Amino acid sequence: MRDSSSPNFYTFWSTRSSSLVVFCILVPLVLVSLVVLNSDSKTSSLWYTSFSGHPSEGVHPPLNSSALIYASGGGGGGGGGEGERRVFFEPIASFISPPLVSAPSPAPQPAAPVFEGSSPNNTRRARRKDTKLERLELGLARARAAIKEAVRNPNRTALVDKDYVPKGPVYRNAYAFHKSYLEMEKLFKVYVYQEGEPPIFHDGPCKSIYSTEGFFINSMDMESRLRTRDPDRAHVFFLPFSVVRMVQYIYPRDHHDMKPLRRTVLDYINVISGKYPYWNRSLGADHFMLSCHDWGPYASGGHPQLFFNSIRVLCNANTSEWFNASRDVTLPEMNVRSHVVKVGGPSASGRPILAFFAGGSHGPVRPLLLKHWKDRDGDVQVHEYLPKGVSYVDLMKKSKFCLCPSGYEVASPRIMEAIYYECVPVTINAHYVLPFSDVLNWKAFSVQVSVEDIPNLKNILMSISPRQYIRMQRRVRTVQRHFMINGPPRRFDLYHMLLHSIWLRRLNIRIHPQD
Ligand SMILES: *[C@@H]1O[C@H](CO)[C@@H](O)[C@H](O)[C@H]1NC(C)=O
Ligand SMILES: *[C@@H]1O[C@H](CO)[C@@H](O)[C@H](O)[C@H]1NC(C)=O
Ligand SMILES: *[C@@H]1O[C@H](CO)[C@@H](O)[C@H](O)[C@H]1NC(C)=O
Ligand SMILES: *[C@@H]1O[C@H](CO)[C@@H](O)[C@H](O)[C@H]1NC(C)=O
Ligand SMILES: *[C@@H]1O[C@H](CO)[C@@H](O)[C@H](O)[C@H]1NC(C)=O
Ligand SMILES: *[C@@H]1O[C@H](CO)[C@@H](O)[C@H](O)[C@H]1NC(C)=O
């Protein structure tokens, strides 16, 4: 059913006639991305866990489930093939982290010459498609094997790179990451569905707190190297909608009714799953969406398979709200106030303040921080509002540690800001998966403080020796590259780190051709 509250609805679905989209002008901008460790070591035991036709079965999300379309049994539909295995979960992301899972190598797919010479009948078309999928899976299996081999047998002279060679303790496994990155550049192809019109599709915000959403959507539309125009050659499929724009254009403000967000998502998936075979083939597991909006996870509930199977790239990476680090990707949040950010800051001796925070008292964490530290201690400067004339950026540059507590949502733009200004980030949150934690070893260049430890904050920071601090700050400089926003994107920057995270999630699964 069309939704009468969204008068522009019909125009969304026509294929765009040209690729002319206003691009975010982000030219010399700094990028920052965070990586979070995938602490879910359980994933290593998940080889051959399958998705069945009804991923929502038996699952009760901690959200208000009566409001979820999938819980009502309506909506998405199972896509047939009840109980049959289509997608196998094979966690490769753990290859990047040190404890290597000794898992069996995926069996090489046969080259599927089956249909050659067989009599033409109507299974032939489907078989030809399957062959293409088998070829893609074979390529992925080779990449997986190459990465595994790199983990087992690091040969540091074998990887030459004119731009950058990852090394040092900021990486969980620098060599495996590099190998995986190069494999991605060699092989990985993303298909962007052309359906949908700006402003809600193929465009997004480039300013303020949700800017990484627009930045990625626009960069993806301009991408040439890792993108394919032929969906049969794609390893993943991008659903190019902007939840921020949906909220701006189709969320009826006075009604507090968020359902149009989910209806829009559901309609879009119905369009692409009806028109192309790719969604049904994997039940959405090789598709991804991206959103920095607080309601991104809510909007993803518009289709059960999107919610449970697809790769969701989200700022609101709250593991208590079904964010799953082995399948989803954390999108770093960044508050873009101007198009040029001057990256850098003084060394430790130029930073007289021990720790700094300024921000409103909202969400579950900040009230505790303010209660314990606001106006208490000159070394730990915690402000709710900065006094007039005091510069936020200057204070970040004068502080050794920058506190990054969660707000309403788990993500904080302060993490990126701290990295830009070379202030060692102190993350204070629960249920948050730090950005790129499949690759980056956050403990090497940041401090994680639990909510319970807020009263001990000063002791914790004081116990870090000056030498240790100098090392950590140097490592912050090393990871800056991975959080940089460049127009056009450059290797190893935020945009490419996000694609690499998506690449790892795609390597995590194997899709079985159907016949
Ligand atoms: C859950 O959502 C439904 C529909 O939006 C609403 O009627 C109901 O009151 C909500 N229940 C709770 C416990 O919030
Ligand atoms: C995919 O599955 C849906 C739901 O079962 C169905 O309506 C749609 O026609 C299928 N798409 C294709 C291309 O077969
Ligand atoms: C069509 O192909 C299937 C699968 O290969 C085969 O079992 C079937 O006999 C073929 N039908 C005809 C009429 O050739
Ligand atoms: C490491 O790689 C280099 C360059 O590819 C090669 O010449 C060398 O034999 C390799 N060493 C080992 C131990 O595999
Ligand atoms: C995360 O996703 C994987 C793959 O879908 C699944 O096997 C695993 O059970 C999920 N973990 C949690 C905690 O839901
Ligand atoms: C994360 O999810 C949990 C469970 O819904 C919730 O209690 C918490 O407030 C959410 N946000 C943050 C910032 O922790």
Side-chain angles (χ1 to χ4, degrees):
M1 293 300 288
R2 296 301 188 191
D3 175 10
S4 56
S5 69
S6 50
N8 294 328
F9 214 71
Y10 298 100
T11 63
F12 300 162
W13 313 121
S14 58
T15 302
R16 289 185 311 145
S17 49
S18 90
S19 59
L20 237 173
V21 173
V22 182
F23 181 62
C24 299
I25 306 147
L26 281 171
V27 182
L29 192 59
V30 174
L31 301 188
V32 175
S33 74
L34 297 180
V35 171
V36 173
L37 295 180
N38 177 359
S39 55
D40 186 16
S41 54
K42 279 188 308 185
T43 53
S44 54
S45 60
L46 289 172
W47 287 72
Y48 302 110
T49 303
S50 71
F51 293 111
S52 69
H54 291 281
S56 62
E57 235 164 45
V59 185
H60 302 288
L63 306 169
N64 177 349
S65 52
S66 64
L68 297 176
I69 288 169
Y70 52 77
S72 70
E82 204 128 7
E84 101 198 85
R85 287 186 169 191
R86 295 186 175 201
V87 180
F88 291 81
F89 181 58
E90 307 185 23
I92 179 108
S94 55
F95 293 171
I96 305 298
S97 57
L100 171 65
V101 195
S102 61
S105 315
Q109 308 285 328
V114 201
F115 69 89
E116 306 283 1
S118 67
S119 63
N121 71 29
N122 34 6
T123 65
R124 192 169 170 162
R125 227 179 101 79
R127 284 193 168 274
R128 188 176 301 141
K129 284 256 187 304
D130 284 351
T131 311
K132 284 178 176 160
L133 178 58
E134 281 178 9
R135 201 175 300 139
L136 289 175
E137 286 294 332
L138 186 61
L140 292 172
R142 287 199 186 109
R144 238 180 248 132
I147 298 165
K148 277 187 185 177
E149 180 53 29
V151 172
R152 256 193 302 269
N153 234 338
N155 178 353
R156 287 176 203 284
T157 53
L159 294 190
V160 279
D161 199 305
K162 63 179 166 43
D163 294 327
Y164 180 64
V165 176
K167 48 175 179 264
V170 303
Y171 299 102
R172 302 185 77 182
N173 184 326
Y175 185 77
F177 164 52
H178 199 189
K179 184 75 185 168
S180 165
Y181 190 92
L182 295 177
E183 291 289 324
M184 168 185 85
E185 288 184 324
K186 250 185 356 207
L187 193 69
F188 196 38
K189 293 287 179 229
V190 182
Y191 179 77
V192 182
Y193 283 111
Q194 292 298 289
E195 284 72 15
E197 300 275 355
I200 289 175
F201 299 89
H202 298 281
D203 198 8
C206 296
K207 272 205 158 164
S208 89
I209 193 85
Y210 300 131
S211 58
T212 47
E213 181 174 313
F215 158 71
F216 186 91
I217 295 171
N218 284 289
S219 299
M220 199 67 240
D221 260 336
M222 313 244 313
E223 168 70 55
S224 54
R225 184 164 176 195
L226 294 172
R227 185 172 165 190
T228 177
R229 307 263 165 193
D230 174 3
D232 280 335
R233 294 183 57 221
H235 301 96
V236 296
F237 298 80
F238 181 42
L239 307 166
F241 55 75
S242 164
V243 175
V244 176
R245 289 289 171 78
M246 285 182 204
V247 172
Q248 274 170 351
Y249 289 89
I250 60 176
Y251 168 65
R253 240 162 254 273
D254 308 335
H255 297 99
H256 301 286
D257 178 9
M258 306 208 300
K259 287 194 208 83
L261 309 186
R262 284 191 166 163
R263 268 197 299 270
T264 306
V265 168
L266 177 62
D267 273 13
Y268 192 73
I269 291 173
N270 284 341
V271 167
I272 57 107
S273 67
K275 195 163 163 185
Y276 305 97
Y278 310 105
W279 180 278
N280 288 357
R281 171 174 93 174
S282 67
L283 304 178
D286 55 357
H287 284 59
F288 75 99
M289 62 161 284
L290 173 140
S291 177
C292 195
H293 199 279
D294 298 359
W295 298 343
Y298 173 87
S300 75
H303 194 294
Q305 293 168 355
L306 179 67
F307 193 87
F308 286 107
N309 296 356
S310 300
I311 301 162
R312 300 175 306 156
V313 185
L314 300 170
C315 283
N316 191 358
N318 187 338
T319 52
S320 289
E321 293 176 349
W322 287 84
F323 183 90
N324 178 337
S326 51
R327 184 169 61 80
D328 299 323
V329 171
T330 303
L331 176 64
E333 188 173 277
M334 178 178 172
N335 193 356
V336 173
R337 299 185 183 91
S338 80
H339 285 311
V340 183
V341 177
K342 265 183 130 172
V343 179
S347 61
S349 59
R351 295 178 182 260
I353 303 166
L354 178 67
F356 163 70
F357 169 79
S361 176
H362 52 69
V365 179
R366 293 188 189 180
L368 289 167
L369 181 69
L370 288 157
K371 179 175 151 238
H372 280 280
W373 294 104
K374 188 180 157 189
D375 301 327
R376 287 287 172 88
D377 191 313
D379 293 334
V380 180
Q381 290 210 12
V382 169
H383 306 265
E384 193 164 0
Y385 301 102
L386 276 185
K388 273 240 167 340
V390 175
S391 152
Y392 179 81
V393 169
D394 280 355
L395 278 172
M396 279 200 141
K397 290 184 181 174
K398 281 188 185 143
S399 305
K400 291 190 179 66
F401 295 97
C402 289
L403 308 181
C404 312
S406 294
Y408 288 119
E409 300 302 341
V410 283
S412 172
R414 287 168 183 76
I415 296 178
M416 292 258 273
E417 289 165 351
I419 291 171
Y420 288 155
Y421 301 124
E422 295 171 8
C423 177
V424 171
V426 179
T427 63
I428 310 174
N429 42 47
H431 331 298
Y432 184 48
V433 178
L434 288 164
F436 313 135
S437 47
D438 41 17
V439 170
L440 295 185
N441 175 21
W442 278 85
K443 291 213 163 78
F445 60 93
S446 72
V447 182
Q448 274 82 55
V449 172
S450 67
V451 177
E452 298 74 44
D453 268 337
I454 285 176
N456 303 326
L457 193 57
K458 188 172 179 182
N459 290 341
I460 293 171
L461 299 180
M462 297 282 283
S463 73
I464 295 168
S465 73
R467 283 183 66 184
Q468 174 70 354
Y469 181 83
I470 287 166
R471 271 197 297 268
M472 289 179 102
Q473 201 201 18
R474 197 171 53 222
R475 294 171 190 158
V476 167
R477 257 177 242 131
T478 304
V479 297
Q480 265 173 355
R481 153 191 318 272
H482 301 311
F483 294 87
M484 290 303 205
I485 292 169
N486 300 302
R490 296 190 201 143
R491 296 180 73 218
F492 295 102
D493 69 2
L494 182 70
Y495 172 73
H496 287 103
M497 288 300 284
L498 286 168
L499 283 171
H500 180 262
S501 293
I502 295 163
W503 155 251
L504 285 183
R505 301 308 179 278
R506 179 62 181 85
L507 283 180
N508 270 349
I509 59 165
R510 187 153 53 90
I511 298 167
H512 265 228
Q514 306 287 295
D515 26 46

